[in-house]
Amino acid sequence: MSLHNLQTNSDIRQALAELLPPDACFSPEEASARYGASTLRVTRSFAGAVRVSDQSQVVQVLQLLRQHRVPVFPISTGNNWGYGSANPVVDGCMILDLSPMNKIRSVDPHSGVAVIEPGVTQGSLTEYLKSHNLPFLCPVTGAGPTCSLIGNALERGYGITPHADHFLAVTSLEAVLPDGTLYRSPLAASGCEEVGRLFKWGIGPYLDGLFTQSGLGIVTQMSIRLAPRPKVVNGFFFAVRKDEQLEEVVSAVSQVLSEVGGALGSINLMNQRRVVSMMEPYPAENVPANAVIDDATLHELAKRNQVGSWMGAGAIYGNRPLASAARKTVRQKLSGKVERLMFFSPTSVTRYHSLSRFIPGRFGASTQSLLATLSKTLDILTGAPSDVALPLAYWKSGQKPTDGEPLNPAKNGCGLIWYAPLVPMRAESVRQFTTMVHRVCIKHAVEPLITLTSLSEVCFDSTVPILFNPLEDGAAEAAHACFSELLTEGRKLGFTPYRSPISAMDRVVDLDQRCWQLAQQIKDSIDPDRLISPGRYSAGR
């Protein structure tokens, strides 16, 4: 039976309906309506969709679909905005929705290891920790409370709390393989489950990593070590007045990270346009078609909100003596290079926010806006999921829900593609990178919004949101052309993304390179029918 026939044949759906509740199976048309929205504005056809609630259902569904050679695309919550949302890489896949698998199986009060399923979100884990009075931080990102922890870890995502590298915090996992058998991390498989959750690397070849950024299996359970809640959390902000100072600030940030080490989370550097996008509506009435905000308008918006050419943000974690020593080092290394270096705590932000209501006029309004942003940023720094970064997706397009529904950029009509390259933390490299991004984005009428997030004292990951209005003729095409040129020009300079949207997988996978040949050999050995996530960091069907 061909895939085309399966898409129009009710036999496969009838077989699935015998395995699952009636409301857990969806036709191709229903699947498209439910899962097809994407901020990339790509269109995929679906073989249908199913929602599963436990590991045994995953095995049964996978075995059935394997018999009929129907490929599956597993999703945790499908909120992979800017990279494809819930859409597969290739047409004709059956969506396997794991979001009903949302159990928090345990959180060890001693080690802080959480055992969770794919549907567990930043918000649900935070509520669990709060309700059980457990002193640990949820590994949050800027994507907000409705996003899956396992999904982000499998994409090798990161945040800015102490365990910033989210897959590095993963200690063990379970996955259903394409033949329906169960993979367990080696120590757990040998009966040493507790110690297996405490020691990431196990014994023998490290295999857990094969399930990240791949289609080698369907992860149904994961153990993640949570960072303990520190006694002191101090956020800090600073401004860089002139763009010409960027190089010395980059060098100073590297020194801070090198000397302060584990007392810091990540440090973010954001260019002026990126900060303005957090504080002002997009001035569409002042921006001609096929253009970006001009320098005069940008200067006015920045002045109104007291925004420098660059702004930095970070956080210090620890006990009082450690936090005090870290603040001293931050001050010493940044002194004379930045302006308005401010340290703040939850108490101080709340106090200042209350007092700002008494400041009259435009300055009072901008101060309140800044402090509101600080408050939401502090939520993230303290392990509480926040939507402080999510409104960015709506800056040029989309309609925010008004009925209390959570923000969903894909369903709300936003246009967004993420370009997320790795950049050496060297002054000259950062300058080359920012110059290239500015030039390419302006060429395609895309606002050059740049964030640099430290992954270590020697490497940044940059996130550049390619924002567009899908309702404007040619805007989506221009956005994809912008991403393509950023990818090409960045590689020439040595900058390449750490993850890829579904629309660019064929640009990432290069079977002329031995590393990708080996990855494909592993895929073909484990999944010869290319059943799971075909085309995801591998050759398509």
Side-chain angles (χ1 to χ4, degrees), residues 243 246 268-275 277-278 309-311 392 418-419 421 423 430-439 441 447-453 460-466 486:
D243 184 60
L246 176 62
N268 281 357
L269 294 175
M270 296 166 282
N271 73 343
Q272 190 174 71
R273 288 176 191 261
R274 178 65 183 91
V275 179
S277 73
M278 298 173 66
S309 290
W310 288 82
M311 291 196 73
L392 170 69
W418 282 112
Y419 171 59
V423 181
V430 171
R431 176 59 69 189
Q432 280 186 313
F433 172 74
T434 57
T435 300
M436 182 275 295
V437 169
H438 192 272
R439 172 178 57 82
C441 286
E447 298 290 343
L449 312 178
I450 303 173
T451 300
L452 296 159
T453 302
F460 284 119
D461 178 66
S462 178
T463 46
V464 178
I466 301 173
L486 286 170

Side-chain angles (χ1 to χ4, degrees), residues 392-414:
L392 170 69
Y394 297 79
W395 200 44
K396 291 191 70 174
S397 62
Q399 184 65 46
K400 293 181 182 178
T402 57
D403 54 2
E405 288 292 314
L407 298 179
N408 187 315
K411 294 181 179 179
N412 299 151
C414 300

Side-chain angles (χ1 to χ4, degrees), residues 215-232:
L216 297 180
I218 299 171
V219 175
T220 55
Q221 181 177 294
M222 183 177 282
S223 300
I224 302 178
R225 190 165 181 217
L226 308 179
R229 183 174 297 281
K231 294 186 181 300
V232 175

